[in-house]
Amino acid sequence: MIEGDQVLMSGNEAIARGAIEAGIRFCASYPGTPSTEITEYIMKTSDRRDIHAEWSTNEKVALEASTAASWAGLPALCPMKSLGLNVAADFLLNVNLSGTGDGGLVIVVCDDPRGHSSSNEQDSRFYSKAAHLPLLEPSSCQQAKDIMPYAFEISKRYEIPVIVRSTTRLSHTRAIVELGEVPDIEIESAHDIPSNLYNVPRPDFKHKQLLAKLDDIKEDFEKSRFNKLDSSDKRVRILASGITNRYSEEAMRKLDLEDIEILSITTTFPLPGKSVLKALDSATHVLFAEEGQPFTEENVAVLFAKRKNRTVPELHGKIDGVIERYGELNVDKVAHALSRITGCEFRPVPPEFEERAQKSRELLLDRPPTFCPGCGHRAVYWAIKKAKQRFDKPVVVTGDIGCYSMGIFYDSSLDTMQAMGSSIGTASGLGQLSRFGFDQKVIAVAGDSTFFHACLPGLVNARNKNADLTFIVIDNNTTAMTGFQPSPSSHIQRGETFSVDIENIARAALPDYIDIGIASDIPATTDLIHENLTRDGLKIIIVKAVCRLAEREDSKAERPKVYIDADSCIGENCKLCMTQFGCLAIEWNEEEDHSEIENHLCVRCGDCIVVCPHDAIRRG
C-alpha cells in the first residue's frame, strides 16, 4: 500500500498506519479489547519496516519499555485498553514530569463505553488531566490515521507523552482511509539517554516546568487544524468529540434539523479556550456530545464561569441529565437530547416497528456468555464444583480477568472478579482471616498470561504472609480471549524471545505444595483440588489445558467422535450434560427425548464423557 491509496480500515488499523507514517521504531503493548488490533497491525510489517514490536508482560512494563526507546531517540507507540492505563498510571504520573526525551512517545488508550469487553466503564481522559498531558480524540478512521504524526510531533517538541483516546465504536468501525507516505527515514542509532531522568529532590520544580509546557501546548491547540470551531450564527450548537461527531451528524439528519451547528473538538486537553468560547459566543444552547463523563462539558463550564458580565448559553449534556451519564452514546441518544432542547418530536422507530421488535425479542433465549465447546476452563470449573461438593466446609473462589472470567456465568463458579491479578491478591487477604473467625477455604483462579501480568506480587505476598489458599493457574499456553497472543510461557515465541516456565517461577515462591494437573482429566483434577482443600498453607496447582480454538484443525480429526447412546440416556429425568455441564456442542432432541452431540461444534475433547452419570456419552 502506497501514498494515495484508499483502503478499507478499522479505526485501530488506521491508528497503527498513522503511527507507521509517523516513523515509529518501537511498539510495546499488552493485548486488551478494544485496542489489540493496533499492535497486531504493526507486527504484520514490523520486520520489513525495522520496527521492534512486542507483547509486554503488562501495560506498565509496556509503557516503561516504550519510554526507554523514546529516551534513546526512537519514536515509540504504546497502545492499551482503558483498564491497562490504570496499571500503567504509576509510571505515567512520574514520567510526565521527568520527560520522554526527543524520540517521541504516544500512548493510545481505547475506552470501552458500556463495558462490551471490559469489567468496568471508565473515562480515561481524566488521566490526561491528572498527569497534565495533551489529549487528542479523533472522530473518524481517516482522522485516527492523520492525527498520529501530529501526536508524535507534539511529543517530540515538548518531550512528554501524548495521549490519543479512541473508543470501541471508533476502534472497531471500518471506513475508507486515504493513506499517506511512509517516510523513508534513516533513523540514527539509539543515542545516549538524557541526564536527570528523575524528579527528586524537587518534583515541584518539574511540575512547574510541565505546567509551562501545557500552556504552550494550549496555544498550539488554538491553531490546530484538527478542530472545527468556526463561528456561526446558529442558535443551537453541538460540541462533539471523538466518534460522537458521527452520531451528531446522523441525529440531525434523522430529525431534519438545519438550524444547528456541529462544532468538533479533537484537542480536548488542554482545551483551546479562546477558540471554544469564540465558537460558542452567540449560541443560546450548547449540547455536549462526548463518550464517558462530562469531561469537556465541565472544562467549558469553567471557561464560561470565568467570564464576567457576559451572557452564558444554556449548557446541556450529562450534568443536567439531557444525556445519561452511564452507558454508551448513540445516534438515538443524541437525537433524543436534541429533541428535548429544541422541542422537536423524535420517535426512534415507528410504533408498529417497535411492536414487531418487542415480539422478536420475546423469541430470543436468555443465553449468558459461556465457554467455547471443549474449553479446558469448563473442565476445571466442573472439577472445582465437584471438589467443593465433596469438601465439608464452604469454599470461596476468587476470579481474575481472562477466559476463566466466564466462570461468573458458569453455575456462579466465581465469587469475585475485579482486576488483573486480583484473584491471588484477594485470596491472600481472605487466607489470613482465620484469627478473626473466617473459616472458609479459599481458591484463587487465574490464567497463564494473567499469572505474569499481575499475579506475581500477590503470590509473593501470600507466601510472605503465610496465607492459607489454593492458587489454580490454568495454563492454556496462549492469551486466548484477545486473539491468541503469546504469553511469556507460550511454547511458540516470536523472534528471539524466550519462553518462561510457570512451574519454575511458581516453585521459586516456595509454596507448601505444588501439583500439576491436566484439565481434560476431570476426575484426577477433582481429586487434586479436593486434596489441596484439606491441606493448610500455600498450595499451587498448575492445570495444563488446551485452547480448542487455537488447536490445529487436524488435531480434532485425529480423535474419535463423541456420541450419545440413546438407549443409555435417561432423557428428561437427567439432562445434566446440558443444564449443568453446559457444553454448547450438546443439544436436546425434543422428538427422541435425549441429548445429542452437534458434530459441527464438537471438538471431540471428551470432557463430557466423565460427566454423564449413566455412561451414555461415549467415543466411537
Side-chain angles (χ1 to χ4, degrees):
M1 295 185 290
I2 60 174
E3 181 182 9
D5 281 356
Q6 294 191 333
V7 181
L8 186 65
M9 301 183 110
S10 72
N12 279 346
E13 291 169 342
I15 289 170
R17 171 71 188 196
I20 291 170
E21 292 181 7
I24 63 162
R25 286 294 177 268
F26 196 97
C27 175
S29 179
Y30 182 83
T33 309
S35 69
T36 308
E37 298 84 2
I38 299 172
T39 306
E40 288 186 333
Y41 184 95
I42 289 171
M43 283 182 168
K44 288 177 183 173
T45 60
S46 59
D47 291 340
R48 179 162 55 87
R49 299 189 187 281
D50 194 21
I51 300 171
H52 170 90
E54 69 171 49
W55 292 117
S56 304
T57 311
N58 64 29
E59 292 85 353
K60 180 170 179 282
V61 174
L63 182 56
E64 291 161 345
S66 301
T67 301
S70 179
W71 282 338
L74 303 176
L77 176 71
C78 186
M80 62 185 72
K81 71 176 295 177
S82 54
L83 291 156
L85 194 51
N86 302 342
V87 178
D90 194 8
F91 181 77
L92 179 70
L93 273 82
N94 274 279
V95 77
N96 60 336
L97 301 183
S98 51
T100 52
D102 60 3
L105 172 64
V106 174
I107 301 165
V108 178
V109 59
C110 298
D111 280 353
D112 189 17
R114 189 183 173 275
H116 294 283
S117 305
S118 306
S119 59
N120 75 351
E121 189 173 58
Q122 159 178 327
D123 189 336
S124 299
R125 295 179 296 177
F126 289 93
Y127 277 113
S128 68
K129 201 169 184 177
H132 301 311
L133 294 176
L135 171 69
L136 306 174
E137 293 189 73
S139 62
S140 65
C141 293
Q142 182 69 55
Q143 196 176 66
K145 183 199 74 68
D146 293 343
I147 210 165
M148 293 303 292
Y150 179 61
F152 276 97
E153 179 187 325
I154 297 168
S155 177
K156 290 177 184 177
R157 187 185 310 155
Y158 295 99
E159 300 194 356
I160 57 174
V162 172
I163 299 176
V164 174
R165 184 214 194 199
S166 180
T167 54
T168 302
R169 296 297 172 187
L170 176 60
S171 288
H172 290 170
T173 196
R174 299 188 79 82
I176 296 295
V177 175
E178 183 172 329
L179 304 185
E181 179 186 9
V182 176
D184 188 16
I185 301 174
E186 285 292 332
I187 298 286
E188 296 181 5
S189 301
H191 56 56
D192 291 343
I193 65 174
S195 59
N196 301 328
L197 291 173
Y198 43 80
N199 305 322
V200 292
R202 295 296 303 269
D204 54 328
F205 283 178
K206 294 287 185 82
H207 192 187
K208 181 181 178 182
Q209 292 169 354
L210 176 60
L211 290 172
K213 290 180 182 177
L214 208 59
D215 286 340
D216 291 340
I217 292 169
K218 185 191 293 184
E219 290 302 314
D220 289 349
F221 284 178
E222 296 283 0
K223 298 169 284 191
S224 174
R225 64 185 174 88
F226 291 101
N227 297 325
K228 179 178 173 295
L229 297 169
D230 302 325
S231 298
S232 165
D233 59 357
K234 301 289 176 62
R235 186 176 60 88
V236 179
R237 286 160 217 178
I238 301 173
L239 188 57
S241 57
I243 192 68
T244 63
N245 279 276
R246 308 283 84 79
Y247 300 159
S248 301
E249 291 169 0
E250 196 167 332
M252 285 182 56
R253 285 197 295 271
K254 210 166 185 177
L255 294 171
D256 197 23
L257 291 172
E258 295 183 354
D259 193 28
I260 292 178
E261 184 78 26
I262 299 176
L263 305 173
S264 177
I265 179 77
T266 303
T267 62
T268 42
F269 190 83
L271 198 65
K274 288 179 285 189
S275 302
V276 170
L277 287 177
K278 184 179 178 184
L280 300 177
D281 194 43
S282 59
T284 58
H285 299 267
V286 178
L287 173 65
F288 294 88
E290 54 185 327
E291 286 285 19
Q293 296 302 305
F295 181 82
T296 302
E297 185 178 355
E298 288 179 349
N299 291 338
V300 172
V302 169
L303 292 176
F304 277 118
K306 289 181 177 177
R307 296 205 314 179
K308 297 178 181 177
N309 305 319
R310 298 287 296 272
T311 303
V312 176
E314 291 188 25
L315 306 181
H316 304 284
K318 300 195 174 185
I319 294 177
D320 70 350
V322 168
I323 296 177
E324 56 196 20
R325 293 187 68 158
Y326 63 92
E328 186 178 31
L329 213 56
N330 58 34
V331 174
D332 284 352
K333 288 181 180 179
V334 175
H336 180 68
L338 285 172
S339 74
R340 290 181 63 180
I341 295 169
T342 63
C344 68
E345 184 180 9
F346 170 60
R347 286 181 177 276
V349 292
E352 60 275 15
F353 184 91
E354 176 54 35
E355 186 179 342
R356 289 200 298 271
Q358 180 57 34
K359 288 181 179 178
S360 300
R361 284 193 286 270
E362 291 170 359
L363 296 175
L364 297 175
L365 297 175
D366 185 15
R367 181 188 158 201
T370 188
F371 301 109
C372 304
C375 177
H377 296 96
R378 178 189 288 105
V380 174
Y381 280 121
W382 184 264
I384 291 174
K385 176 180 178 178
K386 292 301 175 186
K388 286 170 65 177
Q389 290 173 350
R390 199 188 300 173
F391 195 58
D392 59 356
K393 286 184 178 178
V395 178
V396 175
V397 182
T398 61
D400 225 300
I401 307 297
C403 289
Y404 34 92
S405 302
M406 294 299 109
I408 288 175
F409 309 103
Y410 187 68
D411 195 31
S412 301
S413 298
L414 294 178
D415 295 295
T416 72
M417 195 274 285
Q418 305 297 327
M420 297 286 280
S422 293
S423 61
I424 183 70
T426 53
S428 176
L430 292 170
Q432 300 178 68
L433 300 182
S434 59
R435 59 184 288 219
F436 299 107
F438 186 81
D439 64 349
Q440 299 185 34
K441 285 289 187 177
V442 184
I443 294 176
V445 179
D448 49 327
S449 188
T450 308
F451 175 82
F452 292 104
H453 181 285
C455 287
L456 292 177
L459 177 59
V460 172
N461 190 70
R463 174 66 292 172
N464 178 244
K465 305 303 182 295
N466 199 28
D468 179 21
L469 63 91
T470 301
F471 184 28
I472 299 177
V473 183
I474 308 174
D475 181 9
N476 65 0
N477 203 35
T478 187
T479 313
M481 192 167 231
T482 50
F484 317 111
Q485 296 79 20
S487 74
S489 63
S490 296
H491 301 151
I492 301 175
Q493 296 287 331
R494 190 170 185 268
E496 299 178 352
T497 48
F498 189 84
S499 179
V500 181
D501 186 65
I502 291 178
E503 183 181 348
N504 288 338
I505 300 294
R507 287 191 184 280
L510 304 178
D512 295 298
Y513 304 93
I514 185 165
D515 292 294
I516 310 297
I518 304 296
S520 58
D521 190 348
I522 294 178
T525 306
T526 305
D527 292 342
L528 207 53
I529 295 170
H530 179 262
E531 183 181 2
N532 279 281
L533 285 174
T534 64
R535 295 166 166 168
D536 292 327
L538 176 63
K539 294 87 62 177
I540 299 177
I541 305 174
I542 301 169
V543 183
K544 303 290 185 183
V546 175
C547 177
R548 302 297 178 183
L549 289 182
E551 192 180 39
R552 293 190 321 170
E553 186 63 25
D554 54 1
S555 298
K556 169 184 171 181
E558 293 170 359
R559 295 188 289 269
K561 285 184 178 179
V562 176
Y563 71 98
I564 292 179
D565 180 65
D567 294 333
S568 301
C569 178
I570 66 171
E572 193 72 43
N573 294 326
C574 178
K575 278 186 154 180
L576 182 146
C577 57
M578 287 188 58
T579 59
Q580 296 187 41
F581 190 65
C583 180
L584 289 175
I586 304 175
E587 293 203 342
W588 185 249
N589 188 323
E590 289 282 355
E591 293 182 358
E592 300 184 15
D593 189 35
H594 64 77
S595 301
E596 63 183 16
I597 303 294
E598 291 292 327
N599 282 317
H600 66 286
L601 291 175
C602 180
V603 297
R604 306 179 186 178
C605 65
D607 288 353
C608 55
I609 293 175
V610 298
V611 169
C612 178
H614 307 288
D615 296 327
I617 306 180
R618 303 173 185 177
R619 284 195 187 275

